[in-house]
Amino acid sequence: MPYLPAGFPDGAWLPDVVVELGEQFAAHGFELSLVGGPVRDLFLGRTSPDLDFTTDATPDEIIATVHGWADAHWDIGRDFGTIGIRRGDDTIEVTTYRAEAYDLTSRKPQVHFGRDLGDDLVRRDFTVNAMALRLPSLELVDPHGGVRDLVAKRLRTPATAEESFSDDPLRMMRAARFASQLGLEVTDDVREAMTAMSARLEIVSAERVREELVKLICGQYPRRGVDLLVETGLADVVLPEIPALRLTDDEHRRHKDVYQHSLQVLEQAADLETDAEGPVPGPDFVLRFAALMHDVGKPKTRRFESGGGVSFRHHDVVGAKLTRKRMQALRFDKESIRAVSRLVELHMRFYGYGEAGWTDSAVRRYVTDAGDQLERLHRLTRSDVTTRNRRKAARLDHAYDDLEERIAVLAEQEELAKIRPHLDGEQIMAVLDVPPGPTVGKAYRFLLDHRMEHGPIPEDDAVELLRSWWSEQAT
């Protein structure tokens, strides 16, 4: 049965495997402690999905200790002292006491194994993660006041902040991530070190930075995390497009700068996420990141008009290109890049609907262009309304309600998500008696445009329409 360590809040429990593994190591004469995030989460009244352990045993000794007890093990992290273990449904990692440090030019940490739990804890990133539970006794080891800091919602480093961030510059990103996930405030010395050492983040691989960024954006308080990145200069390294927004007034002067507007859109988009059964289960990185990046094209497209106003024509298209380039630099997968950049490109498409109204053709194109991002586009567009003018906000909200209703009606009538030309390629070649080639492509696009403009028509009418178009091409 699960264990509830003494002194922890209700809801904090440990699976059987934790104590069983401690007993296994003790029987072989080795120390073992649950460490880091899982211990922190116990104080937050929740169970961590990850089980991380530290020990004085070397990787070879770890393997020998769990031999016959574990169902499987793997040593892909052996160079860093980590051995993966599976027992039943539990997957855990055991790491030899260690210390890591970067030199000034390397992207890879230098690893040194140790034999003392205290030395291991002092090298960890923050005090709230520098706590351990000795096993199997469940004795709490908290030499740096992690519990006090967690209660005070304070983020400190066990060693000096400069030493900690020099050992691993990615920890500066983690500070912003914990501000987002846990609502923690960094101490003055941590903030000062992050600001002074922000350029050191450049030596960390894009993949590691990306993973921290995703966790930050998906946190409970993403605005806090982004703000900390910008205020310390880390965003100049990771997302330079975001601090650039602080220099750009929006065209309606509703905000001090577009930066604050973008943070508000990010928060509002997160509020519109659904539960697991809905179309956009939260936290949804694609929606949130598109909300943050949706206006990054404005600095490059800002123009001062003769009447004293400011315009940002085509900032949606420019922003999509900048977003795609930034996500490629951070080594995001192609699907995420496609989805986020598409949302950024389409986020202005709705505007004008309320005043001018849209034809059925325009509604079809809106749905078709959004494709599988339609539900996210609905939420991004609604989130982009941050005006303090209640009448205008209500008008835009009602207009989008109307658009969604029209989409629903057309979708029921025409299967909007599956819009295709009246005839497929094989039918086109048969009607025109032509082989595969450019002509078929032109005919396909003509029929698709007609479908968008006029809706579905019977197949016989489509054949006559195609023949008429073809005769015009020959003249």
Side-chain angles (χ1 to χ4, degrees), residues 144 147 211 285 318 432:
H144 305 288
V147 174
E211 292 306 308
F285 173 77
V318 173
L432 301 183

Side-chain angles (χ1 to χ4, degrees), residues 206-225:
E207 291 81 1
R208 296 184 73 210
V209 171
R210 177 197 67 217
E211 292 306 308
E212 290 297 326
L213 179 63
V214 169
K215 293 174 183 177
L216 184 158
I217 296 298
C218 291
Q220 186 175 358
Y221 312 99
R223 184 173 191 148
R224 294 189 185 186

